[in-house]
């Protein structure tokens, strides 16, 4: 396959994971990175031996070699930067949440209609874990019978203390939801992927446990420990945690909980499906195994091993059993699927990709907004 040349904008926490994932794909080549903080872009370009670095999206888009642009900037820039990428005619892989508001993601969808050859994907990486695919296939095969209940969590602790601060706390940058938009979006994408169904109705309780936070006067990197001692007090307007009841279009009901203030959890995504015959559960923090539960027989752990997996899920895994695969590998699978789709000359709307489309990213935005509305009105809200 020909080499597909890529550029990334945003060299913060997740930008580096994009560098490493692209580097693991034989037919992709990272030729440029960009960040508003040019020194950071330069540092990453030096560290990873990337040929060119820039300080703006305009310079990155003017690079004629770049065919695909990854947008790894904070949420408030997704509309502006994604629109610029789409208008440039380059393919686009955007970080999630796709935007701050569904009105923004809708504008991207409208614009994409004018660019039918553009491949546009969203970075919902958990759907690409081999055992998430195994759960999906086991469900299709009827192993646990008819699904009755879906439940789980996505817990983190990086905002546990009132001295913890990040751009995600500011609604102007993150959007009107924090936990749900940031990590609930991943959970919803994962459960929708496993069950091949959509969440259509929600009833939520979103809670602020730290109403005022101390914003450090200096810079704090995402997920790093804050060592600043000078602060300004900032009122908090978005949820520290939330609980969400939901209904899906396949009749399954469920519940999930998201939190950024749950000590001991770095990336605690857990999803469990209970069916009429059995149950299955996957925990991101133990990514290389899944649990199967039965009433009339012994429960057991399934260790990921390509030789024992369904043929459909096997294509998302490559290391032999006993050689753990995890977060980075699923992340790479997602980006691989995106580049393969481009390399194979496939088209959104004609072919069905494994990675999330902008349409799916937009739907998650509508779900996020419905959850915020539900918590405010203390009532069930259906997705419009
Ligand atoms: N898929 C995942 O699992 C995952 C994980 C973490 C973050 N994310 C998403 O990735 C995005 C970035 O999050 P992060 O944690 O990496 O944030 P971050 O703050 O660590 O990095 C953002 C980078 O964008 C740069 N930037 C800011 N304004 C810019 C501009 N105008 N032009 C160019 N660069 C600019 C910043 O200098 C910074 O380096 C968010 O949308 C977030 O939701 C996704």
């Amino acid at each position: 396959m020909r080499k597909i040349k890529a550029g990334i904008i945003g060299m913060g926490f997740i930008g580096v994971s994009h560098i490493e994932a692209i580097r693991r794909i034989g037919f992709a080549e990272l030729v440029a990175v960009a960040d508003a903080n040019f020194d950071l872009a330069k540092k990453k370009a030096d560290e990873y031996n990337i040929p060119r670095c820039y300080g703006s999206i305009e310079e990155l888009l003017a690079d004629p070699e770049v065919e695909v642009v990854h947008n790894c900037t904070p949420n408030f820039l997704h509309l502006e930067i994604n629109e610029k990428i789409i208008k440039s005619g380059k393919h686009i892989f955007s970080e999630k949440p796709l935007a701050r508001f569904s009105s923004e993601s809708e504008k991207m969808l409208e614009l994409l209609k004018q660019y039918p050859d553009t491949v546009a994907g969203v970075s919902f990486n958990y759907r690409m874990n081999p055992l998430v695919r195994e759960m999906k296939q086991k469900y299709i095969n009827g192993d646990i019978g008819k699904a009755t209940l879906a439940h789980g969590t996505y817990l983190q602790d990086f905002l546990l203390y009132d001295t913890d601060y990040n751009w995600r706390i500011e609604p102007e940058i993150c959007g009107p939801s924090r936990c749900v938009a940031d990590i609930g979006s991943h959970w919803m994408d994962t459960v929708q992927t496993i069950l091949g169904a959509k969440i259509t109705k929600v009833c939520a309780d979103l809670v602020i446990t730290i109403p005022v936070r101390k914003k450090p006067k200096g810079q704090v990197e995402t997920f790093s420990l804050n060592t600043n001692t000078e602060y300004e007090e900032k009122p908090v307007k978005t949820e520290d945690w939330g609980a969400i009841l939901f209904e899906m279009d396949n009749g399954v009901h469920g519940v999930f909980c998201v939190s950024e203030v749950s000590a001991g959890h770095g990336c605690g995504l857990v999803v469990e499906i209970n069916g009429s015959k059995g149950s299955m559960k996957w925990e991101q923090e133990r990514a290389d195994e899944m649990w199967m539960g039965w009433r009339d027989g012994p429960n057991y752990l399934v260790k990921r091993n390509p030789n024992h997996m369904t043929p459909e899920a096997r294509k998302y895994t490559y290391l032999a059993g006993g050689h753990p695969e995890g977060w980075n590998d699923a992340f790479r699978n997602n980006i691989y699927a995106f580049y393969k789709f481009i390399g194979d000359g496939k088209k959104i709307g004609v072919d069905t990709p494994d990675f999330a489309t902008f349409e799916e990213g937009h739907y998650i935005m509508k779900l996020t907004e419905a959850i915020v509305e539900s918590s405010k009105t203390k009532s069930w809200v259906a997705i419009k």
Side-chain angles (χ1 to χ4, degrees):
M1 196 177 285
R2 72 184 173 86
K3 284 250 180 194
I4 301 164
K5 297 195 176 166
I8 306 174
I9 179 128
M11 281 291 99
F13 171 77
I14 205 66
V16 173
S17 298
H18 285 253
I19 296 180
E20 299 202 345
I22 295 169
R23 280 279 164 92
R24 288 173 66 183
I25 299 166
F27 53 92
E29 186 181 342
L30 183 59
V31 295
V33 289
D35 197 289
N37 176 352
F38 179 74
D39 290 343
L40 179 63
K42 176 142 186 19
K43 184 166 170 266
K44 293 298 168 196
D46 287 345
E47 211 175 300
Y48 284 90
N49 199 13
I50 298 158
R52 295 183 287 287
C53 59
Y54 303 114
S56 70
I57 185 65
E58 285 76 17
E59 290 165 274
L60 182 64
L61 293 176
D63 186 325
E65 259 204 318
V66 172
E67 196 181 329
V68 176
V69 179
H70 296 231
N71 183 359
C72 301
T73 59
N75 306 355
F76 79 112
L77 291 165
H78 289 187
L79 175 63
E80 182 190 323
I81 292 184
N82 286 355
E83 280 191 339
K84 285 181 180 164
I85 300 168
I86 296 166
K87 285 181 183 165
S88 76
K90 299 183 194 285
H91 301 298
I92 170 169
F93 193 74
S94 174
E95 264 307 339
K96 48 49 62 179
L98 189 49
R100 289 173 301 176
F101 311 100
S102 66
S103 55
E104 291 183 339
S105 48
E106 191 161 12
K107 280 187 187 155
M108 298 177 205
L109 282 185
E110 275 303 309
L111 183 61
L112 274 170
K113 286 185 188 158
Q114 297 170 39
Y115 297 84
D117 294 335
T118 296
V119 179
V122 187
S123 187
F124 282 120
N125 37 298
Y126 298 96
R127 59 160 63 197
M128 289 296 186
N129 190 284
L131 292 178
V132 168
R133 305 313 286 209
E134 184 72 352
M135 281 174 85
K136 179 179 175 64
Q137 198 54 44
K138 279 188 183 307
Y139 178 60
I140 291 170
N141 293 351
D143 290 17
I144 62 158
K146 186 174 169 355
T148 49
L149 163 61
H151 54 100
T153 55
Y154 194 154
L155 309 177
Q156 298 189 313
D157 66 4
F158 77 109
L159 294 176
L160 181 63
Y161 304 129
D162 68 350
T163 46
D164 292 325
Y165 209 86
N166 184 270
W167 57 258
R168 287 165 174 82
I169 288 161
E170 300 185 12
E172 307 73 37
I173 301 179
C174 187
S177 159
R178 176 167 22 109
C179 284
V180 176
D182 199 34
I183 51 180
S185 57
H186 277 304
W187 195 91
M188 293 188 282
D189 182 68
T190 307
V191 79
Q192 291 190 147
T193 299
I194 293 169
L195 292 175
K198 279 195 156 58
I199 297 172
T200 50
K201 249 177 135 177
V202 291
C203 180
D205 183 26
L206 304 184
V207 184
I208 296 171
T209 54
I210 302 178
V212 177
R213 286 185 182 261
K214 298 185 169 76
K215 180 177 181 178
K217 296 217 164 137
Q219 185 84 23
V220 186
E221 285 176 20
T222 296
F223 303 133
S224 67
L225 289 179
N226 170 24
T227 50
N228 290 281
T229 47
E230 282 193 67
Y231 304 102
E232 71 178 284
E233 297 217 317
K234 279 279 206 182
V236 173
K237 297 191 182 118
T238 54
E239 72 279 4
D240 290 311
W241 76 274
I244 299 109
L245 293 166
F246 63 86
E247 286 182 28
M248 300 182 88
D249 60 4
N250 60 352
V252 172
H253 289 223
V255 59
F256 71 100
C257 172
V258 287
S259 167
E260 289 169 342
V261 290
S262 292
H265 293 283
C267 191
L269 190 158
V270 179
V271 59
E272 177 167 334
I273 312 292
N274 303 136
S276 54
K277 292 200 288 192
S279 300
M280 49 189 184
K281 176 169 72 170
W282 177 74
E283 298 182 42
Q284 197 294 132
E285 289 179 345
R286 304 170 66 143
D288 219 36
E289 64 188 35
M290 62 180 274
W291 174 87
M292 303 282 305
W294 313 99
R295 196 182 69 171
D296 302 327
N299 300 339
Y300 49 82
L301 284 178
V302 178
K303 301 293 278 184
R304 184 202 52 80
N305 180 334
N307 295 339
H308 307 149
M309 289 170 73
T310 56
E312 292 82 1
R314 199 177 299 145
K315 64 178 185 201
Y316 299 88
T317 187
Y318 37 92
L319 289 177
H323 301 68
E325 282 180 16
W327 194 93
N328 262 332
D329 304 289
F331 200 86
R332 172 260 173 213
N333 286 347
N334 205 23
I335 292 182
Y336 173 86
F338 181 76
Y339 280 83
K340 183 83 170 57
F341 194 85
I342 296 171
D344 288 344
K346 292 187 173 169
K347 287 202 172 138
I348 302 281
V350 179
D351 306 288
T352 310
D354 280 348
F355 57 85
T357 60
F358 268 42
E359 202 151 331
E360 289 172 280
H362 173 58
Y363 192 76
I364 299 263
M365 289 310 308
K366 292 208 283 188
L367 279 172
T368 304
E369 282 178 351
I371 288 167
V372 172
E373 185 189 334
S374 162
S375 181
K376 276 193 190 137
T377 58
K378 301 283 174 220
S379 60
W380 280 88
V381 174
I383 310 313
K384 292 166 202 116

